[in-house]
Amino acid sequence: MKRRRYHLLITAGPTREPIDPVRFISNHSTGTLGYTLARLAVRRGHRVTLITGPTELAAPGGIRRVDVETAGEMEQALTKAFGKADALIMGAAVADFRPIRVSTQKIKRSGVSGSLRLWELELIENPDIVAGAARHRKPHQVIVGFALETERLLANARAKLKSKNLDAIVATQLSPKGKGRGPFGADPVDGAILDKSGRTKSFVRLPKTLLAARILATVESLLASRQ
Ligand code: CTP
């Protein structure tokens, strides 16, 4: 049987939320899994749009790449592209909060007053991008999210799957100290893929190339069941 080709929208990397012209809030995401997914998806004949936060990685050829910095920019780019996609794979590590005010000048240490020089940074919540996409989806569109957890991996991931109204979620466990940096970077990962119908497929020390293949197989089978 001929394999169906789809338009996949993939997000990858961290977002950066500026504090002033030289500082930002971000996280340890490297974009490795999202870029691996994009590469594999192209190889499997799919059309790929990759919305990416800042990373050191080269994007694979044959994709449409949209570079963003902040969660707000990622939301805008995604809102534009989502309508034309069959599936969204939300791999980006979106910063949940951003500074409420962005200083136009570098904030000087001498400008922080008090004997302790205690600097309080006021943050405001960013939009939940994947949950927003799920609210506006068409019935045939598949949405897969991710959950990075340090505790209660499966329970937390299942709660996110439900509350964000996703079709499946890839739960990854932060490696214990001294055992690599997974799920950040090139190390293998521990975790599970959970879907809406209650299935949980766990994996241990799985290389990201193999994890990407499993995620893509999940997306393709969800899409095939909707056509
Ligand atoms: N996500 C998003 N927008 C945000 C935060 C997260 O779209 N503002 C997406 C991520 O891309 C991921 C999923 O939601 O696919 C779960 O992200 P995660 O950081 O694990 O969870 P949070 O929703 O941020 O919850 P918490 O920080 O409480 O674990």
Side-chain angles (χ1 to χ4, degrees):
M1 204 176 74
K2 203 163 164 257
R3 189 147 31 92
R4 303 272 316 245
R5 289 159 187 217
Y6 298 104
H7 182 180
L8 307 183
L9 178 57
I10 300 172
T11 69
T15 66
R16 285 182 180 172
E17 310 301 326
I19 297 169
D20 68 16
V22 297
R23 305 184 178 97
F24 55 79
I25 296 176
S26 192
N27 56 66
H28 291 296
S29 170
T30 61
T32 308
L33 185 56
Y35 279 62
T36 306
L37 272 161
R39 191 166 299 115
L40 187 61
V42 171
R43 239 189 282 148
R44 288 178 66 78
H46 301 300
R47 210 172 122 204
V48 176
T49 300
L50 177 69
I51 301 177
T52 174
T55 74
E56 303 278 304
L57 305 172
I63 67 159
R64 190 168 90 86
R65 171 181 173 153
V66 184
D67 286 279
V68 298
E69 289 252 346
T70 64
E73 288 168 10
M74 183 167 281
E75 186 188 37
Q76 239 180 31
L78 195 139
T79 304
K80 261 197 199 154
F82 182 56
K84 294 188 208 103
D86 298 303
L88 166 63
I89 307 177
M90 191 71 199
V94 183
D96 284 326
F97 292 88
R98 67 180 186 278
I100 199 163
R101 279 175 294 276
V102 182
S103 174
T104 52
Q105 300 299 329
K106 184 183 177 197
I107 296 168
K108 303 298 281 178
R109 188 189 346 199
S110 56
V112 178
S113 56
S115 56
L116 283 176
R117 292 215 190 275
L118 186 66
W119 175 24
E120 285 183 50
L121 193 57
E122 214 178 346
L123 306 179
I124 185 166
E125 196 182 13
N126 272 331
D128 188 327
I129 302 174
V130 76
R135 277 194 294 276
H136 296 105
R137 73 157 96 184
K138 297 181 205 106
H140 77 277
Q141 288 181 303
V142 164
I143 304 185
V144 174
F146 286 72
L148 168 61
E149 305 297 341
T150 57
E151 56 177 352
R152 302 181 65 239
L153 177 75
L154 297 181
N156 284 340
R158 194 153 287 290
K160 281 178 194 172
L161 174 75
K162 252 186 130 179
S163 68
K164 294 176 192 253
N165 191 19
L166 309 174
D167 297 294
I169 194 159
V170 183
T172 57
Q173 174 83 43
L174 190 75
S175 290
K177 257 199 172 132
K179 294 212 167 159
R181 293 180 60 232
F184 302 118
D187 287 336
V189 257
D190 292 345
I193 301 179
L194 297 81
D195 70 20
K196 221 163 59 174
S197 54
R199 271 187 298 260
T200 300
K201 290 186 197 148
S202 295
F203 49 84
V204 178
R205 305 279 303 152
L206 189 66
K208 282 192 169 172
T209 44
L210 298 183
L211 177 55
R214 286 195 199 177
I215 295 168
L216 219 47
T218 304
V219 171
E220 285 170 353
S221 104
L222 282 164
L223 280 165
S225 69
R226 303 263 166 103
Q227 304 299 308

